[in-house]
């Protein structure tokens, strides 16, 4: 059965107040000129049409923390000769930088998720540091055997332990299709926020509960039949909805706007699952 | 009497709004074309409109846009030919197939026929994620169906269909590269992997964009 996700959001992200800018800045990072990948991305500054380039040497502590996170936890491999693919990877790095820099700059501010968990900005940074991101172009995803079914997914070192390390993987070729006409800065920011909603312990906990509920309601099912039961279950939808809810809460906390998109193809298309 | 008119109009408007709202709310679940949803099917820019009996667009990117096929004659270009056992679409254009109403796991070589419409199961593939799925946790987010079958008719060798029983026909693919290089022949030779990335210059694959399933088993 093909299901369209209900109208799903996209994000408009305001720059952190530290940046002297009136337009969205673009992160500049180093990559070997001869390379076809961006493995080991290092943030070297912001490029901004209004303010020129802001070098990393002028970053404040929060921005340095974000840049270091990207260097240590974000693994990028895209075709630099494919401008759309590179632009989507850039937008994802940009989104992560803002999430972390803003949370780190507001370390004592708090928000509460839908389960009642309270987070400070410092808590959020600590939790995100337990998540790695793989951002693969289509060719490198295929070479790595990733085959991310709809473009992005999260897996855990230990399914049983909600504090275990999480790894988010994007296949940009498929993600571009999934995001439909929203494979833009906003769509990239949405994809990052949504997967963080899965990857943080609260999202992991909800997924555990939903999966157990489906298995309990369908004792003995295996393989294809178990897949079918999960695919049409309200619990699967609940897990995805929670990822959106937590993603929304994180986005709001870091100063972004969460827009409802009336285009059913916008945001994630959870379609055929 | 006239004093009561505004409230009467308001009541009628409320009723109308309720009816429209109820109708809109159930739109995504309509299957008034018996296995073909609301009768308008988009595979990429290739359009099948069962209400008008039209099929238009081109599965070959090299071909210029074509006028609606039905404009070439009086008979519908495309029509439903369902039976009690099968969903069936008969087309003068590109998209023409038979698929069973009952769910199952067809063997490669299985043939389904309704009148002059014939479909052969050409190949079967299993999704890579399914081969390593431990089942102690959910399938990866957005995972599509584990089993994908390639369907086609050797008499119409340029078109094949990607089919999963519970999800129906999810994609169509077109290739007419001459003898031995047509879509049906490539599928039979194991040269079309539905889970592999598209290659530049390779067969043209167009995915279902409209939300209703097409010929999904029940």
């Amino acid at each position: 059965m093909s299901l369209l996700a209900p109208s799903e959001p996209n994000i408009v992200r305001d720059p952190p107040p530290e940046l002297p800018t009136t337009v969205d800045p673009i992160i500049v990072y180093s990559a070997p000129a001869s390379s076809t990948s961006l493995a080991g991305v290092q943030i070297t500054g912001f490029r901004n049409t209004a303010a020129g380039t802001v070098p990393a040497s002028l970053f404040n502590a929060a921005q340095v923390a974000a840049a270091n996170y990207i260097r240590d936890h974000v693994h990028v491999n895209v075709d630099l000769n494919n401008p759309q693919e590179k632009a989507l990877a850039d937008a994802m790095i940009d989104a992560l930088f803002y999430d972390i820099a803003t949370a780190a700059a507001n370390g004592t501010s708090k928000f509460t998720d839908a389960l009642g968990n309270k987070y400070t900005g410092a808590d959020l940074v600590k939790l995100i540091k337990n998540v790695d991101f793989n951002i693969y172009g289509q060719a490198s995803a295929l070479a790595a055997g990733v085959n991310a079914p709809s473009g992005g997914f999260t897996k855990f070192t230990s399914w049983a332990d909600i504090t275990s390390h999480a790894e988010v993987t994007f296949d940009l070729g498929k993600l571009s299709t999934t995001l439909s006409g929203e494979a833009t800065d906003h769509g990239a920011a949405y994809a990052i926020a949504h997967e963080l909603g899965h990857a943080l312990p609260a999202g992991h906990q909800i997924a555990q509960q939903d999966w157990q509920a489906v298995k309990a309601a369908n004792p003995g099912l295996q393989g294809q039949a178990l897949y079918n039961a999960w695919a049409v279950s309200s619990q699967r939808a609940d897990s995805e909805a929670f990822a959106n809810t937590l993603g929304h809460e994180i986005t709001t906390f870091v100063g972004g706007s969460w827009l409802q998109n009336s285009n059913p193809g916008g945001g994630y298309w959870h379609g055929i699952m | 009497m006239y004093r009561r008119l505004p409230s009467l109009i308001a009541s009628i408007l409320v009723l109308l709004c309720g009816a429209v709202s109820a109708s809109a709310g159930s739109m995504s679940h309509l299957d008034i074309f018996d296995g073909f949803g609301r009768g308008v099917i988009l595979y990429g820019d290739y359009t099948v409109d069962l209400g008008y009996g039209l099929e238009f667009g081109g599965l070959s990117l090299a071909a210029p846009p074509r006028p609606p096929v039905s404009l070439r004659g009086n008979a519908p270009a495309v029509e439903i030919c369902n039976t009690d056992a099968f969903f069936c679409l008969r087309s003068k254009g590109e998209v023409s197939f038979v698929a069973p109403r009952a769910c199952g796991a067809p063997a490669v070589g299985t043939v389904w026929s309704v009148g002059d419409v014939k479909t052969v199961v050409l190949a079967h593939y299993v999704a890579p994620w399914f081969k390593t799925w431990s089942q102690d946790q959910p399938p990866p987010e957005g995972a599509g169906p584990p089993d994908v079958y390639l369907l086609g008719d050797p008499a119409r060798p340029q078109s094949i269909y990607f089919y999963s029983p519970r999800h129906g026909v999810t994609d169509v693919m077109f290739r007419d590269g001459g003898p031995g290089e047509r879509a049906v022949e490539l599928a039979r030779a194991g040269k079309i992997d539905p889970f592999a990335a598209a290659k530049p210059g390779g067969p043209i694959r167009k995915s279902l964009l409209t939300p209703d399933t097409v010929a999904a088993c029940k």
Side-chain angles (χ1 to χ4, degrees), chain A residues 138-139 142 173-174, chain B residues 173 193-206:
Chain A
Q138 179 173 290
L142 195 66
K174 290 197 175 73
Chain B
M173 181 176 271
D193 179 350
F195 300 103
K199 294 176 182 170
I204 297 159
R205 176 176 176 174
K206 297 196 174 186

Side-chain angles (χ1 to χ4, degrees), chain B residues 99-133:
Chain B
R101 287 182 185 270
C103 296
V108 173
T110 299
V111 179
W112 301 312
S113 294
V114 174
D116 59 340
V117 184
K118 184 175 88 170
T119 294
V120 180
V121 179
L122 304 167
H124 172 220
Y125 289 83
V126 177
W129 70 262
F130 191 71
K131 295 174 184 172
T132 56
W133 183 36

Side-chain angles (χ1 to χ4, degrees), chain A residues 1 194-195 224 228 240 273, chain B residues 135 141 143-144 147 166-167:
Chain A
M1 182 164 136
H194 176 92
E195 292 305 330
Q224 169 97 41
N228 289 335
E240 296 304 326
M273 168 86 183
Chain B
Q135 302 187 37
E141 181 177 2
D147 288 294
R166 291 181 184 275
H167 299 77

Side-chain angles (χ1 to χ4, degrees), chain B residues 3-119:
Chain B
R3 285 182 185 173
R4 292 168 59 190
L5 197 54
S7 65
L8 185 62
I9 291 171
S11 301
I12 291 170
L13 283 174
V14 166
L15 285 172
L16 280 174
C17 287
V20 169
S21 172
S23 171
S26 60
M27 280 296 281
S28 63
H29 304 294
L30 287 180
D31 189 20
I32 56 180
F33 284 88
D34 186 18
F36 297 92
R38 286 160 289 175
V40 175
I41 303 163
L42 290 177
Y43 288 106
D45 58 355
Y46 197 81
T47 305
V48 175
D49 187 325
L50 293 167
Y52 285 102
L54 297 175
E55 184 181 23
F56 51 98
L59 288 180
S60 168
L61 290 178
R66 302 185 315 192
V69 178
S70 66
L71 296 183
R72 299 173 186 171
N74 295 324
V78 59
E79 60 187 358
I80 293 173
C81 44
N82 289 352
T83 66
D84 289 345
F86 295 105
F87 297 114
C88 172
L89 204 61
R90 177 186 289 115
S91 163
K92 292 179 181 174
E94 314 288 3
V95 180
S96 205
F97 56 79
V98 178
R101 287 182 185 270
C103 296
V108 173
T110 299
V111 179
W112 301 312
S113 294
V114 174
D116 59 340
V117 184
K118 184 175 88 170
T119 294

Side-chain angles (χ1 to χ4, degrees), chain B residues 139-216:
Chain B
E141 181 177 2
D147 288 294
V148 174
Y149 298 86
L150 303 184
L151 310 180
D153 178 359
R156 302 164 63 102
Q158 76 280 5
S159 300
I160 61 169
Y161 313 96
F162 291 52
Y163 171 74
S164 296
R166 291 181 184 275
H167 299 77
V169 176
T170 58
D171 304 73
V172 296
M173 181 176 271
F174 180 89
R175 177 69 162 187
D176 189 1
E181 293 294 322
R182 292 171 293 206
V184 166
E185 295 156 345
L186 293 172
R188 277 186 154 161
K191 293 181 178 176
I192 295 177
D193 179 350
F195 300 103
K199 294 176 182 170
I204 297 159
R205 176 176 176 174
K206 297 196 174 186
S207 298
L208 181 66
L209 297 180
T210 35
D212 301 314
T213 55
V214 175

Side-chain angles (χ1 to χ4, degrees), chain A residues 70-87:
Chain A
I70 288 164
R71 182 194 63 203
D72 297 337
H73 295 274
V74 182
H75 317 287
V76 187
N77 196 332
V78 299
D79 180 359
L80 294 180
N81 295 315
N82 181 334
Q84 289 84 11
E85 202 168 77
K86 173 146 186 321

